[in-house]
């Protein structure tokens, strides 16, 4: 329970450290699901390809932040 709370707190710190654009696209990905590039693109008013790139970069930045906070690499997803 304490470990879970610390995990959540560190994850929130990592998210808070990201740019607004990164947080937004990650949030939209969670909202719309794994095959949601068209929905995300429509919502952001951007092309699907651009959204794929933005999502990839946001996920990489989040993974880097999580590693900096001491998350084990095995606990960080590395693909969509």
């Amino acid at each position: 329970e304490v470990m879970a709370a610390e995990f959540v707190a560190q994850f929130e710190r990592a998210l808070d450290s990201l740019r607004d654009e990164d947080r937004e696209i990650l949030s939209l990905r969670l909202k719309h699901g794994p095959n949601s590039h068209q929905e995300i693109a429509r919502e952001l008013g951007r092309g699907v390809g651009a959204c794929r790139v933005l999502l990839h970069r946001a996920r990489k930045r989040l993974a880097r932040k999580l590693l900096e906070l001491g998350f084990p690499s095995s606990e960080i997803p590395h693909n969509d």
Side-chain angles (χ1 to χ4, degrees), residues 27-51:
S27 172
L28 289 172
R29 170 66 160 57
L30 288 172
K31 175 182 172 185
H32 293 296
N35 298 314
S36 60
H37 294 97
Q38 287 191 330
E39 291 89 352
I40 293 170
R42 198 171 17 258
E43 207 162 317
L44 293 178
R46 300 184 81 158
V48 172
C51 287

Side-chain angles (χ1 to χ4, degrees), residues 14 17-18 60-71:
S17 72
L18 296 177
K60 283 187 84 157
R61 281 190 277 271
L62 178 59
R64 264 196 308 272
K65 293 292 183 181
L66 291 171
L67 287 172
E68 288 172 13
L69 290 171
F71 275 70

Side-chain angles (χ1 to χ4, degrees), residues 2-16 69 71:
V2 172
M3 289 181 80
E6 180 59 24
F7 176 88
V8 170
Q10 285 185 326
F11 191 83
E12 287 175 346
R13 278 195 293 278
L15 279 176
D16 288 344
L69 290 171
F71 275 70

